[in-house]
């Protein structure tokens, strides 16, 4: 921070005028002033050096030294802050460093004393010496301690003792007793009031069972408490927990993390934090504490709640939100677009203003206060905040608090419940709302409340569903087919009914419920997809992100960052890949149903998504192999069929072939393991579902062949042993992921095979034979036209394109381009291989078939079949081109 030069005398005069605490301190101990380098922050290393220079023979001397250190630190910090030499960050870092230094020094001193007197505390399980872990909670844990703060501590030790305990004879202690005594001595060293004051007041009420609980807890006891007794507000308290001193801190935080951060999005946190806030508001009102800038309306606590509710909801899924400091949490929300950047900026500015004000209130008398004065001190506080007068200061304070209230209410305001006397689910009410079969729907709603699954729900979840149903009736009534929309919403509610967090989400966010209604009304497939993956409801909270154009480079970076946070945890890595794929697929569904994507562009996106997933899966699987012979595999994944042709649909399988080019003798075995692992990662069912179903039968020799082939073996097979239909498959094949050199080798082989001269009569016979086999395998006698399999349908178009490529690519290299059926039909016409007019009609037919097929899939139809007259003209065009090519 750049500030004008200021004399030590002027600095001290202003400081003493604005802080009675400093004035008294300087008057009592003038020697403190001469030793202060006012231009330097008082950092942790300076504090440790100061203590090291003291003569500390015993516990009493340590207590005195720590208290005198506090005086030095407070004097310089307050003076620097009040004279513009320090900013908010320096103040909280300095105060936090003082607490950390005092705790670590006192704890180490006491451990040495106890070890000398009793011997080390030995863990019954590990047989190793134990240490007391001091856990900083609240602002100490967050590294944002205020100037005159209490420190919230919890004492934990790893293991209980062996039967004999510590020491011997009459002085034998269990580990629990040993660390209990040590903890009481530590508290006294920090908090006991002496002629030199205190170091920090210590608050132990956040320990398990609060004031009535034991002073220290073992890891096992703490974990048992979290599982059986831990309350929602304690998750909020432990969010900032940080080990200040003691070994095995990482192990302790691993124990705490699942209690604080749920593995799934936890929208129930809204309800619990709203209740906690309501309790605070009632206490504020009861005690007339509106002028309290921490607990009152628009105060510090409301900003903390805003940041922490998103952390509690999403922190289990996004490790980047598992930060402790409030400002860091706000920045993380902005980076993830969970709150608008401008909102976060306003909250951050208000937070710094309020925290600076908090410090100046405490500088007056070194008291833990957050209440505005109403006497002459108000003018002092205004001056300390660099305002010309109290009125201007109060105006600015009110503006910040109003801003915080506005943002808080926008996030936490409870939705108005439907009055109990009004039942909008009766037959009459449903009919009035526009439902066609109101009586059936009324019975359906009644039946849902009487169902076994509803009766088994906890009362809190029943209440959420009861609140949600009238809202669902309202939003479904606004859809083009309200009866269908409501039924699909009810099916969704039944599917997620045991997951109260998702019901909480839909209650908390009306726009999410509205978006759900629109999507399920438009597509049965989407309704089923949401029911199977309710975590996707979270994607509906921000319509801007939902409908933003896809950026696969950015998406890959996001996925890579998420995977880096959980590196080595195979189960979480597999689930993260699945959640990512589902979220991106859902975004595409929303954009598709909104008419923002052509079918061709949608297929491109779905294929790009599959390529991305395959690449990340291969990377993770290679990293997880215990035995490998190189850092980067010379290995590629080749996509065939819809993946190869970039025509993937939402539920398409992946046709894959695994290739490598590596002369190392160990390569075949290692790459076989890699291929098997990749396929397992793709197809295994985890709690998050399946990534993709795969089909590996297009590899050389099909299901009887090796899972992975060398480039040389693949080339030999294609040259000498492959069937014509396998060469047909090469027209829609490409390297989807892996080593670029191996991918280029595959492409060279592919082009070489496609450009081989062929006898057209023999080729025609082979293609017709394969087509007949496929037709026989998909009989259709229901009188409706099968868009894919019937004569004149999609497969006929694909076979004709494949025939044209295999028959004429030797003369026209452009036909080897894997550019899709539409582009290849157009090219064949331009080359004079088929009539231009007929080619254009078949292109139109192919587009129409795919659009109809896609629409039927979205409606949940198993078969893509339509009335023959609906596509008669298109089917006739395909048959005419078929006749032209095959006679």
């Amino acid at each position: 921070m750049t500030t004008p030069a200021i004399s030590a005398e002027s600095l001290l005069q202003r400081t003493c005028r604005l802080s009675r605490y400093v004035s008294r301190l300087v008057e009592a101990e003038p020697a403190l002033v001469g030793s202060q380098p006012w231009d330097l922050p008082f950092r942790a290393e300076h504090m440790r050096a100061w203590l090291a220079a003291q003569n500390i023979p015993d516990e009493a001397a340590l207590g005195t030294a720590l208290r005198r250190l506090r005086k030095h630190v407070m004097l310089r910090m307050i003076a620097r802050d009040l004279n513009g030499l320090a900013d908010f960050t320096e103040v909280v870092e300095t105060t936090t460093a003082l607490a950390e230094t005092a705790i670590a020094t006192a704890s180490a001193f006491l451990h040495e004393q106890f070890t000398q007197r009793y011997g080390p505390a030995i863990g019954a399980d590990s047989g190793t010496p134990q240490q007391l872990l001091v856990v900083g909670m609240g602002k100490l844990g967050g590294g944002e301690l205020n100037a005159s703060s209490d420190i919230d501590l919890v004492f934990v030790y790893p293991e209980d003792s062996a039967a004999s305990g510590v020491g011997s004879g009459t002085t034998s202690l269990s580990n629990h007793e040993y660390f209990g005594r040590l903890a009481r001595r530590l508290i006294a060293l920090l908090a006991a009031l002496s002629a030199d004051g205190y170091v920090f007041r210590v608050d132990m009420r956040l320990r398990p069972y609060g004031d009535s609980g034991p002073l220290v807890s073992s890891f096992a006891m703490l974990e048992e408490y979290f599982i059986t007794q831990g309350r929602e507000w304690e998750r909020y308290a432990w969010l900032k927990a940080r080990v200040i001193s003691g070994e095995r801190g990482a192990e302790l935080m691993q124990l705490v993390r699942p209690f604080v951060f749920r593995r799934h999005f936890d929208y129930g946190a809204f309800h619990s934090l709203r209740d906690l806030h309501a309790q605070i508001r009632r206490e504020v009102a009861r005690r007339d504490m509106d002028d309290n800038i921490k607990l009152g309306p628009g105060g510090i606590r409301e900003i903390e709640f805003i940041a922490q509710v998103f952390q509690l909801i999403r922190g289990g899924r996004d490790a980047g939100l598992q930060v402790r400091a409030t400002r860091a949490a706000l920045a993380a929300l902005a980076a993830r677009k969970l709150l608008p950047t401008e909102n976060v900026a306003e909250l951050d500015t208000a937070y710094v203003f309020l925290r600076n004000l908090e410090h100046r209130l405490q500088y007056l008398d070194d008291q833990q206060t957050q209440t505005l004065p109403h006497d002459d001190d108000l003018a002092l506080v205004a001056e300390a905040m660099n305002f010309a007068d109290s009125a201007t200061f109060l105006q600015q304070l009110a503006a910040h608090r109003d801003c915080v209230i506005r943002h808080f209410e926008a996030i936490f305001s409870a939705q108005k419940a439907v009055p109990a006397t009004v039942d909008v689910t009766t037959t009459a009410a449903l009919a009035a709302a526009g439902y066609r079969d109101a009586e059936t729907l009324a019975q359906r709603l009644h039946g849902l409340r009487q169902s076994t699954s509803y009766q088994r729900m906890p009362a809190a979840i029943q209440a959420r569903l009861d609140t949600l149903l009238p809202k669902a009736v309202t939003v479904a009534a606004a859809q083009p087919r309200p009866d269908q929309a409501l039924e699909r919403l009810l099916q969704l509610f039944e599917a997620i009914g045991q997951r109260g967090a998702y019901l909480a989400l839909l209650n908390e966010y009306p726009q999410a419920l509205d978006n759900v209604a629109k999507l399920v009304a438009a597509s049965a497939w989407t309704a089923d997809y949401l029911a199977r993956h309710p975590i996707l409801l979270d994607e509906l909270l921000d319509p801007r992100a939902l409908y933003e154009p896809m950026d696969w480079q950015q998406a890959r970076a996001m996925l890579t960052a998420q995977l880096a946070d959980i590196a080595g945890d195979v189960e979480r890595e597999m689930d993260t890949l699945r959640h990512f794929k589902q979220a991106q697929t859902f975004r595409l569904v929303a954009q598709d149903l909104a008419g923002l994507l052509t079918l061709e562009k949608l297929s491109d996106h779905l294929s790009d998504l599959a390529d991305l997933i395959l690449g990340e899966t291969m990377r993770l699987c290679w990293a997880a192999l215990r035995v490998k012979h190189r850092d980067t595999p010379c290995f590629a994944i080749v996509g065939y069929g819809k993946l190869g042709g970039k025509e993937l649909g939402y539920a398409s399988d992946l046709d894959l072939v695994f290739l490598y080019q590596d002369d190392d003798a160990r390569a075949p075995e290692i790459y076989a393991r890699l291929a098997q692992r990749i396929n397992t990662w793709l197809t295994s069912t985890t709690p998050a579902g399946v990534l993709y179903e795969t089909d590996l039968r297009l590899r050389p020799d099909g299901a009887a062949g090796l899972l992975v082939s060398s480039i040389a073996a693949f080339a030999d097979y294609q040259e000498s042993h492959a069937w014509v239909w396998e060469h047909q498959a090469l027209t829609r094949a490409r390297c989807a992921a892996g080593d670029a050199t191996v991918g280029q080798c595959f492409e060279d082989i592919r082009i070489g095979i496609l450009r081989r001269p062929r006898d057209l009569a023999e080729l025609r016979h082979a293609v017709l034979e394969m087509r007949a086999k496929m037709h026989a395998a998909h009989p259709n006698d229901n009188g409706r036209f099968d868009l894919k399999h019937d004569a004149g349908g999609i497969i006929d178009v694909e076979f004709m394109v494949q025939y044209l490529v295999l028959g004429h690519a030797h003369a026209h290299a452009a036909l080897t381009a894997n550019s899709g059926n539409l582009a290849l039909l157009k090219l064949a016409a331009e080359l004079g291989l088929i009539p231009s007019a007929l080619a254009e009609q078949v292109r139109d037919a192919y587009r129409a078939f795919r659009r109809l097929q896609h629409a039927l899939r979205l409606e949940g139809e198993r078969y893509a079949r339509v009335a023959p007259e609906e596509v008669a003209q298109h089917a006739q065009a395909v048959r005419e081109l078929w006749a032209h090519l095959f006679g």
Side-chain angles (χ1 to χ4, degrees):
M1 162 179 301
T2 302
T3 58
I6 183 172
S7 70
E9 184 180 359
S10 298
L11 176 145
L12 201 56
Q13 285 177 351
R14 174 177 168 84
T15 306
C16 290
R17 186 174 69 255
L18 300 177
S19 169
R20 288 186 290 268
Y21 164 69
V22 170
S23 179
R24 290 193 297 266
L25 187 61
V26 171
E27 183 179 354
E29 300 186 47
L32 287 171
V33 174
S35 61
Q36 295 294 341
W38 304 110
D39 58 329
L40 293 178
F42 213 133
R43 302 200 186 281
E45 57 267 29
H46 305 146
M47 300 176 199
R48 291 192 292 269
W50 189 94
L51 286 170
Q54 308 305 305
N55 178 26
I56 306 178
D58 53 31
E59 196 170 327
L62 175 60
T64 298
L66 291 175
R67 282 153 180 77
R68 293 193 58 76
L69 172 63
R70 180 180 188 270
K71 295 176 183 179
H72 281 276
V73 172
M74 290 288 284
L75 173 60
R76 194 193 308 176
M77 182 190 74
I78 294 173
R80 285 178 55 77
D81 189 12
L82 290 176
N83 288 276
L85 300 177
D87 60 8
F88 164 72
T89 301
E90 181 185 318
V91 172
V92 295
E93 286 180 350
T94 301
T95 313
T96 301
L98 175 61
E100 291 170 346
T101 302
I103 291 168
T105 303
S107 182
F109 184 92
L110 291 172
H111 270 101
E112 184 176 352
Q113 278 202 337
F114 270 54
T115 301
Q116 290 175 358
R117 179 175 180 181
Y118 302 109
I122 304 298
D125 297 327
S126 67
T128 59
Q130 309 285 294
Q131 281 191 357
L132 182 72
L133 284 82
V134 182
V135 182
M137 309 287 281
K139 287 185 169 60
L140 173 58
E144 51 195 4
L145 205 58
N146 61 47
S148 299
S149 180
D150 297 353
I151 52 175
D152 294 295
L153 301 180
V154 173
F155 297 128
V156 188
Y157 61 94
E159 303 170 33
D160 285 313
S161 55
S164 59
V166 187
S168 60
T170 58
T171 60
S172 177
L173 302 174
S174 69
N175 282 3
H176 187 81
E177 294 171 312
Y178 182 96
F179 289 120
R181 291 188 183 186
L182 194 155
R184 282 187 284 273
R185 296 267 288 276
L186 178 58
I187 292 172
L189 264 174
L190 298 172
L193 191 61
S194 73
D196 288 299
Y198 59 89
V199 190
F200 285 97
R201 294 174 296 267
V202 176
D203 191 332
M204 298 297 302
R205 289 175 296 176
L206 292 178
R207 69 186 188 267
Y209 302 103
D211 284 339
S212 62
L215 190 61
V216 295
S217 303
S218 67
F219 281 9
M221 176 186 168
L222 183 64
E223 184 173 30
E224 176 70 14
Y225 177 81
F226 285 156
I227 293 171
T228 62
Q229 304 288 329
R231 290 158 291 181
E232 282 297 309
W233 69 263
E234 289 178 291
R235 291 179 59 207
Y236 163 78
W238 280 88
L239 190 152
K240 288 181 177 287
R242 179 168 60 96
V243 176
I244 304 299
S245 72
E247 296 176 351
R248 297 175 67 173
E251 186 180 343
L252 173 61
M253 297 317 297
Q254 200 66 25
L255 183 153
V256 171
R257 192 168 291 114
F259 170 66
V260 177
F261 300 109
R262 303 294 192 245
R263 295 193 62 171
H264 299 286
F265 290 130
D266 181 18
Y267 287 93
F270 271 115
H271 182 74
S272 59
L273 279 181
R274 186 188 289 120
D275 279 354
L276 180 57
H277 179 259
Q279 293 174 27
I280 294 171
R281 279 278 177 92
R282 286 193 294 270
E283 184 67 8
V284 166
R286 185 182 70 81
R287 296 170 58 186
D288 193 18
M289 295 168 59
D290 277 359
D291 283 334
N292 186 300
I293 62 164
K294 177 181 179 180
L295 302 179
I300 295 166
R301 182 56 53 84
E302 291 188 354
I303 301 175
E304 293 172 340
F305 274 21
I306 289 171
Q308 288 157 356
V309 71
F310 287 100
Q311 291 180 276
L312 290 176
I313 289 169
R314 296 166 171 270
R317 290 282 317 286
D318 185 348
L321 289 171
Q322 295 179 14
V323 294
R324 298 182 179 91
T326 300
R327 298 185 73 193
L330 288 171
L333 299 185
R336 288 156 177 77
K337 299 181 179 179
L338 298 175
L339 284 178
T341 303
E342 58 273 19
N343 294 20
V344 169
E346 290 178 352
L347 287 168
D348 184 73
T349 300
Y351 181 76
V352 172
F353 183 93
L354 291 169
R355 290 297 311 276
N356 279 330
L357 173 57
E358 176 185 41
H359 293 153
R360 280 143 182 78
L361 293 173
Q362 296 174 357
Y363 291 163
L364 288 171
D365 293 298
D366 190 22
Q367 294 296 314
Q368 173 73 338
T369 181
Q370 288 92 13
T371 301
L372 286 174
H374 291 282
D375 52 20
D376 293 343
D377 283 351
L378 183 61
L380 290 177
V381 171
E383 182 183 353
M385 290 292 290
N386 297 315
F387 284 90
D389 53 65
S390 300
T392 309
F393 158 67
L394 291 173
Q395 184 179 14
Q396 186 65 60
L397 172 60
H400 282 304
R401 294 183 71 171
D402 288 345
C403 175
V404 174
I405 291 171
R406 184 176 76 254
H407 291 307
F408 185 89
E409 293 297 338
I411 294 169
F412 280 96
S413 58
Q415 304 304 314
K416 293 181 179 179
V418 177
T421 56
V422 178
D423 188 351
V424 299
T425 62
T426 63
T427 299
L430 290 167
Y435 288 94
R436 298 182 65 179
D437 192 354
E439 184 174 354
T440 299
L441 286 174
Q443 293 172 354
R444 173 80 167 87
L445 289 162
H446 178 74
L448 189 154
R449 284 198 177 102
Q450 301 303 313
S451 66
T452 303
S453 59
Y454 178 88
Q455 299 301 324
R456 289 177 177 172
M457 290 178 185
I461 296 181
Q462 286 182 349
R464 288 177 188 171
L465 183 56
D466 290 344
T467 303
L468 189 57
L469 288 177
K471 299 176 185 178
V473 169
T474 301
V475 297
Q479 305 309 313
R481 292 176 290 179
D483 293 58
Q484 185 181 75
L486 181 56
E487 175 56 36
R488 290 175 181 173
L489 279 178
L490 297 180
Q491 291 173 4
L492 174 64
F493 296 165
E494 289 173 325
I496 66 175
Q498 296 302 321
R499 309 279 285 277
Y502 296 121
L503 298 178
L505 181 156
L506 295 174
N507 267 315
E508 297 288 347
Y509 288 97
Q511 73 272 26
L513 179 60
D514 189 50
N515 285 333
V516 168
K518 291 175 182 175
L519 289 169
V520 302
S523 166
W525 184 88
T526 306
D528 179 64
Y529 198 66
L530 270 174
R532 286 185 286 117
H533 309 296
I535 197 170
L536 295 172
L537 292 169
D538 180 74
E539 299 296 321
L540 298 170
L541 300 185
D542 185 359
R544 296 173 304 172
L546 189 64
Y547 295 105
E548 277 183 357
M550 307 301 291
D551 182 338
W552 293 113
Q553 185 174 354
Q554 183 184 59
R556 183 187 296 276
M558 179 179 72
L559 175 60
T560 302
Q562 290 176 356
L563 292 168
D565 287 333
I566 54 173
D569 188 332
V570 171
E571 181 182 350
R572 292 185 67 192
E573 287 174 338
M574 293 177 76
D575 280 350
T576 296
L577 286 171
R578 282 153 177 76
H579 290 313
F580 175 83
K581 185 238 181 176
Q582 292 155 9
Q584 303 309 313
T585 300
F586 190 64
R587 286 184 62 194
L588 291 170
V589 171
Q591 295 179 25
D592 178 17
L593 293 175
L596 301 178
L597 299 173
T598 65
L599 182 55
E600 290 78 11
K601 189 63 178 175
L602 171 65
S603 294
D604 283 346
H605 280 317
L606 288 170
S607 302
D608 290 340
L609 173 59
D611 291 355
L612 194 164
I613 293 290
L614 288 171
E616 288 299 297
T617 301
M618 175 181 156
R619 180 179 66 82
L620 293 169
C621 289
W622 182 254
L625 282 181
R626 293 182 179 178
V627 178
K628 47 181 177 274
H629 61 299
R630 57 170 63 247
D631 293 334
T632 305
C634 298
F635 180 94
I637 304 174
V638 174
Y640 277 73
K642 285 185 170 62
L643 175 61
K646 286 206 160 190
E647 292 186 347
L648 278 185
Y650 292 124
S652 296
D653 296 350
L654 302 186
D655 294 299
L656 303 178
V657 169
F658 302 115
L659 300 176
Y660 71 92
Q661 186 177 38
D662 194 325
D663 294 332
D664 192 291
R666 297 165 292 176
E669 182 180 353
I670 291 172
Y671 290 132
R673 287 202 200 103
L674 175 61
Q676 183 62 59
R677 185 177 289 241
I678 290 170
N679 193 54
T680 299
W681 273 53
L682 294 173
T683 60
S684 294
T685 301
T686 77
V690 173
L691 263 180
Y692 290 99
E693 297 295 343
T694 62
D695 190 334
L696 309 181
R697 291 174 295 177
L698 285 173
R699 66 186 187 268
D701 291 316
L706 296 173
L707 190 61
V708 62
S709 301
S710 69
I711 282 290
F714 181 78
D716 177 68
Y717 179 84
Q718 293 295 336
E719 288 284 352
S720 307
H721 307 289
W723 297 84
V724 171
W725 67 264
E726 291 177 284
H727 289 172
Q728 286 179 246
L730 280 175
T731 64
R732 293 204 301 171
R734 62 184 179 85
C735 179
D739 183 81
T741 301
V742 179
Q744 187 57 53
C745 289
F746 164 77
E747 182 63 10
D748 294 343
I749 294 167
R750 188 185 81 88
I751 292 174
I753 294 296
L754 296 182
R755 296 205 66 191
R756 285 170 52 178
R758 292 174 173 82
D759 180 277
L760 287 181
E762 291 181 4
L763 177 63
R764 190 179 298 118
H765 175 76
V767 171
L768 287 170
E769 186 176 46
M770 177 53 64
R771 181 68 186 99
K773 288 181 180 178
M774 290 189 67
H775 191 78
H778 296 85
N780 175 23
D781 55 5
N782 72 349
R784 294 173 68 80
F785 180 78
D786 190 307
L787 294 167
K788 181 176 181 180
H789 295 289
D790 280 356
I794 289 172
I795 287 182
D796 279 1
V797 178
E798 294 173 346
F799 267 54
M800 288 189 290
V801 171
Q802 292 162 10
Y803 169 77
L804 288 167
V805 172
L806 293 178
H808 300 282
H810 70 282
H812 305 288
L815 285 169
T816 62
N818 185 3
S819 53
N821 292 310
L822 292 171
L824 289 171
L825 281 169
K826 182 178 181 181
L827 177 60
E830 292 170 350
L831 294 171
L833 303 178
I834 54 177
S836 295
L838 190 53
E840 197 56 40
Q841 292 174 27
V842 172
R843 278 159 51 88
D844 290 342
Y846 188 71
R847 287 193 194 93
F849 291 158
R850 287 198 64 209
R851 280 196 294 268
L852 284 168
Q853 183 188 48
H854 182 64
L856 289 167
R857 290 281 186 263
L858 284 175
E859 277 301 311
E861 296 291 340
R862 182 180 178 187
Y863 298 108
R865 293 172 178 172
V866 298
E869 59 272 15
E870 189 176 345
V871 292
Q873 186 174 352
H874 291 313
Q876 181 58 32
V878 174
R879 293 191 191 101
E880 286 183 20
L881 183 56
W882 185 273
H884 175 81
L885 290 174
F886 298 110

